[in-house]
Amino acid sequence: MCGIFGYIGPSADKARASRLCLDGLKKLEYRGYDSAGIAGILDGKIQSSKQVGKVALLEELLERSKVPTGATVAHTRWATHGAPSTGNAHPHFDTDKSLAIVHNGIIENFQGLKNQFQNGPFKTDTDSEVIAHLISRAYSGDLLKAVKEAVELLEGSFALAVVHQDHPDEIIVCAHESPLAIGKGDDECFIASDAHAFKGQNLQVAFLSHGEMARCSRDHVQVFNSRGKALDKPFLSLNLKDEILSKNGFDHYMLKEIHEQPQTLQQALDGRYSDEFGTAQFEELKFSAQKVKRILILGCGTSWHAGLLGASLFESLARISSQAEIASEFRYTNPIIDQHTLVIAISQSGETADTLAAVREAKAKGAKVIGMCNVSHSTLTRESDHVVFLRAGQEVSVCSTKAFTSQLITLALLALYFARQRHMSKEDGQAFLAQLKNLPLKVRQVLAHSKAIEKVAIKYSSFEDFFYLGRQYMYPTSLEASLKLKEISYLNAIAYPAGEMKHGPIALVGPALAVVALCGNQQTKEKMLSNLMEVKARSSPILVFASEGETLFDAVATDIIYLPSICDELASIPYSVALQLFAYFVAVEKKTDIDQPRNLAKSVTVE
Ligand code: M6R
């Protein structure tokens, strides 16, 4: 994982390279923020600085140290091999520090490669350092050739950028199942793991494809394929506007993003339905649902949870056999996919390595893929056959909130779209659409309960262990709600289908364990009540979230929060918003780093 940034430009403005690299790294911090570093060329030598922690700390360090002026590369890290430390921070060097590399990805055969070096030149615990030594060993004056030779020995996924003291005017880059964008400006050149790091610059941008390399100088970029043949790569203007990020008066981006949901849900709906025909419409999709016999949804983390809910919607509304699979597991199952299987890959970032690998496997088996994504120009949008955007706006907090509810509403629209092409009547379509259109209002009503939710969150923040229980649509909702609590409060929160408790987990129930019960589905509410009775009999406090007017749970609830009622299929949206608030307020009590929790990254770019 990690973010790479690099710059070469005129050397008149001595601080420009490091300033732009720091700015670029800040935009890439969503890929990791354990440590950061920079290296370039100053007076014919590699000059570097590294720092544990976020990019802001590297920035402070650079104010007190020499900064590189020539070709410069920089890196923000999410530790895979080796602890987050200054030593393990990138860039990495060869023995005499004649070159520096920054790497995103994992070198799977690093141990075998390291064993080739008799004299043990390694100073770090990383898999990446070996790349610097391999390039150095292959180097005899032509940096591109040396990088090519080294890269041919590597197994795994990687994007690399390399600078060498003998070549102050060039950066060599390559991409191998990891993204790398190159931006050409007026007498300057940028490289980055993600083109969004170029925001604010007026650049012509190209993305390296798998196996490609490039020699970048300030006025020329030459791209080569894996055999070393020069390519005529098109560079395009992407219209990447720099957005001024602001918390808008909220204490955290997470809280701001939770509060944005009435608006983001509305954006996801806008222009995507027809009242007259009681259906959804997607300009971006041009195929008939009649041919789709099976839907396979792929995603990780929150996006997988959205997929679980989506699969239930496709089955219940459109009567299409559907499954959601965790992308990291899917590709190792030798999945059965035929031409009637439609794959929907869900990813907020569009850069999750496991999801991309799963998409490639599905495509290799002949499937057509709809990418459901929040970020334009991401790898998923480039690799999918069709793209449906979430329209949630930039999500800054590592803990996903508004992207999740946008995924749910978009999946619900898609389920309606398929259902109406099959057997759903216009009247039933209109009734479902009316509920969908009501969601922004329902979520506004949930937000109005913030104070009550904060109060119970403060009360329950003293517990160390939580069970989140739900049935039917509320089970995936509880998976997502418990993930929110884990991520930002670092508390142990396990989600279970309530009916499964008696098959084992109930052994853990007792006064020291708090149960959060999501009771938003009408069809299973009596069953849910029985399961909660069994918990109450064993003395766990129970925090119930139930629909307004529902009295069934009063007998079991230690505390109860009432939420606006809506049909079972869509209840996950208002309930998720309430549970996001609950996790947020617990984390406030715990005084954690809410927007950038420990050990996490916004975009997980390694498998
Ligand atoms: O960008 P993606 O949607 O592909 O990311 C998938 C997961 O890494 C992500 O949802 C993660 O679980 C979030 N931190 C959850 O809040």
Side-chain angles (χ1 to χ4, degrees):
M1 253 158 51
C2 311
I4 293 176
F5 197 87
Y7 174 80
I8 323 178
S11 52
D13 177 353
K14 298 250 180 281
R16 184 166 168 79
S18 58
R19 206 171 52 238
L20 287 168
C21 284
L22 287 169
D23 185 46
L25 286 190
K26 284 182 187 164
K27 292 182 175 130
L28 294 170
E29 255 187 335
Y30 72 88
R31 305 171 79 93
Y33 40 79
D34 288 338
S35 60
I38 187 166
I41 296 144
L42 184 68
D43 304 329
K45 296 264 174 250
I46 296 281
Q47 172 68 41
S48 65
S49 296
K50 301 182 188 189
Q51 180 67 284
V52 179
K54 296 182 186 168
V55 176
L57 297 174
L58 177 67
E59 191 167 27
E60 280 173 24
L61 178 68
L62 280 174
E63 282 163 16
R64 307 189 297 274
S65 42
K66 288 184 183 169
V67 293
T69 55
T72 303
V73 291
H75 188 271
T76 178
R77 178 171 188 245
W78 184 84
T80 59
H81 297 56
S85 65
T86 311
N88 288 334
H90 296 222
H92 294 295
F93 314 104
D94 59 340
T95 305
D96 57 5
K97 210 177 175 184
S98 56
L99 64 85
I101 65 118
V102 287
H103 166 224
N104 166 36
I106 289 182
I107 306 304
E108 289 169 359
N109 60 338
F110 78 100
Q111 198 54 59
L113 292 170
K114 273 174 129 180
N115 294 343
Q116 294 179 8
F117 291 83
Q118 302 298 331
N119 50 355
F122 303 102
K123 296 193 171 68
T124 78
D125 306 319
T126 66
D127 55 333
S128 311
E129 187 188 2
V130 73
I131 305 170
H133 293 284
L134 289 171
I135 298 171
S136 186
R137 187 176 72 181
Y139 180 72
S140 58
D142 183 339
L143 185 57
L144 181 79
K145 186 164 167 281
V147 174
K148 182 170 180 297
E149 277 180 42
V151 157
E152 280 166 0
L153 302 173
L154 304 179
E155 289 168 15
S157 63
F158 48 88
L160 275 185
V162 186
V163 290
H164 194 292
Q165 63 184 19
D166 298 346
H167 304 266
D169 299 322
E170 72 182 36
I171 302 178
I172 305 295
V173 291
C174 64
H176 193 275
E177 287 186 9
S178 272
L180 200 110
I182 304 173
K184 288 198 296 190
D186 186 12
D187 198 26
E188 52 188 358
C189 177
F190 297 69
I191 59 129
S193 298
D194 172 351
H196 289 267
F198 300 151
K199 278 179 177 170
Q201 306 294 334
N202 185 15
L203 304 177
Q204 298 286 307
V205 177
F207 297 91
L208 289 191
S209 299
H210 174 63
E212 290 179 349
M213 300 181 66
R215 175 186 273 137
C216 308
S217 56
R218 47 194 256 204
D219 53 359
H220 186 66
V221 174
Q222 180 60 60
V223 178
F224 303 89
N225 69 12
S226 55
R227 294 185 306 283
K229 182 172 178 287
L231 303 174
D232 192 11
K233 189 101 179 159
F235 279 73
L236 305 169
S237 194
L238 291 189
N239 190 23
L240 296 164
K241 294 208 182 68
D242 209 3
E243 293 157 46
I244 313 265
L245 289 178
S246 145
K247 293 182 193 146
N248 273 357
F250 289 96
D251 289 342
H252 297 94
Y253 281 108
M254 181 179 173
L255 191 59
K256 173 187 166 230
E257 288 160 4
I258 291 172
H259 279 264
E260 280 172 355
Q261 290 175 102
Q263 186 193 334
T264 51
L265 288 167
Q266 189 59 53
Q267 283 162 202
L269 284 170
D270 283 344
R272 283 189 171 150
Y273 59 84
S274 155
D275 285 318
E276 186 186 352
F277 294 103
T279 189
Q281 52 199 23
F282 287 90
E283 272 176 15
E284 45 286 66
L285 300 181
K286 307 253 177 296
F287 57 82
S288 158
Q290 304 300 339
K291 294 201 181 120
V292 178
K293 299 271 180 284
R294 178 172 164 241
I295 295 177
L296 187 59
I297 308 180
L298 303 172
C300 298
T302 288
S303 296
W304 171 59
H305 297 156
L308 289 170
L309 288 158
S312 296
L313 289 171
F314 288 124
E315 292 207 335
S316 103
L317 298 181
R319 309 299 301 150
I320 302 175
S321 164
S322 305
Q323 295 150 260
E325 298 280 352
I326 297 174
S328 57
E329 289 296 316
F330 166 80
R331 62 182 299 223
Y332 298 104
T333 57
N334 193 13
I336 299 168
I337 294 176
D338 61 20
Q339 78 267 35
H340 300 299
T341 304
L342 173 68
V343 170
I344 302 177
I346 308 179
S347 174
Q348 187 285 132
S349 61
E351 299 295 349
T352 299
D354 287 320
T355 306
L356 293 172
V359 163
R360 288 169 194 146
E361 177 64 19
K363 287 184 80 167
K365 287 188 179 283
K368 285 275 175 261
V369 177
I370 298 180
M372 195 172 274
C373 190
N374 199 33
V375 179
S376 56
H377 311 300
S378 60
T379 307
L380 182 63
T381 63
R382 291 197 299 279
E383 296 197 7
S384 299
D385 299 294
H386 310 266
V387 181
V388 174
F389 282 107
L390 298 174
R391 303 177 178 171
Q394 186 173 356
E395 192 177 62
V396 177
S397 172
V398 165
C399 185
S400 187
T401 54
K402 61 177 182 170
F404 177 65
T405 51
S406 293
Q407 288 164 349
L408 295 188
I409 198 166
T410 309
L411 285 162
L413 278 165
L414 207 51
L416 174 63
Y417 173 76
F418 285 154
R420 285 284 290 125
Q421 286 181 45
R422 294 161 75 96
H423 53 265
M424 186 187 261
S425 70
K426 185 172 86 173
E427 291 69 26
D428 285 350
Q430 284 167 333
F432 187 68
L433 192 54
Q435 301 253 14
L436 272 171
K437 287 165 65 182
N438 230 345
L439 279 167
L441 173 67
K442 298 279 175 188
V443 167
R444 215 167 279 124
Q445 290 166 353
V446 174
L447 295 173
H449 292 304
S450 272
K451 276 279 159 233
I453 296 173
E454 181 176 9
K455 206 166 150 208
V456 291
I458 293 169
K459 175 174 171 187
Y460 282 81
S461 64
S462 58
F463 285 88
E464 291 290 323
D465 298 298
F466 289 78
F467 262 150
Y468 279 65
L469 303 181
R471 298 192 71 132
Q472 212 187 346
Y473 293 95
M474 289 288 119
Y475 166 54
T477 313
S478 67
L479 281 172
E480 172 59 9
S482 69
L483 178 64
K484 300 299 88 162
L485 192 74
K486 283 186 198 100
E487 271 185 302
I488 59 169
S489 71
Y490 315 150
L491 294 171
N492 176 32
I494 300 175
Y496 251 95
E500 268 293 294
M501 287 294 283
K502 55 188 175 294
H503 299 290
I506 202 162
L508 297 171
V509 166
L513 177 111
V515 169
V516 180
L518 280 62
C519 305
N521 282 162
Q522 295 304 304
Q523 199 188 329
T524 45
K525 65 181 183 183
E526 279 85 10
K527 302 284 176 208
M528 186 71 188
L529 178 65
S530 309
N531 301 143
L532 293 179
M533 284 292 189
E534 290 150 15
V535 167
K536 188 179 162 64
R538 288 158 182 86
S539 308
S540 276
I542 304 177
L543 169 59
V544 168
F545 288 79
S547 303
E548 264 151 16
E550 178 63 76
T551 54
L552 196 63
F553 299 100
D554 293 359
V556 287
T558 314
D559 295 278
I560 190 156
I561 298 285
Y562 291 107
L563 300 174
S565 63
I566 191 158
C567 64
D568 283 0
E569 290 83 354
L570 299 177
S572 299
I573 293 181
Y575 276 67
S576 293
V577 175
L579 273 302
Q580 291 164 0
L581 284 169
F582 177 73
Y584 172 80
F585 289 123
V586 172
V588 170
E589 282 302 295
K590 294 281 167 195
K591 301 192 173 35
T592 57
D593 188 348
I594 291 181
D595 285 331
Q596 292 186 320
R598 70 183 183 200
N599 303 341
L600 298 182
K602 182 75 185 152
S603 175
V604 182
T605 60
V606 289
E607 281 192 73

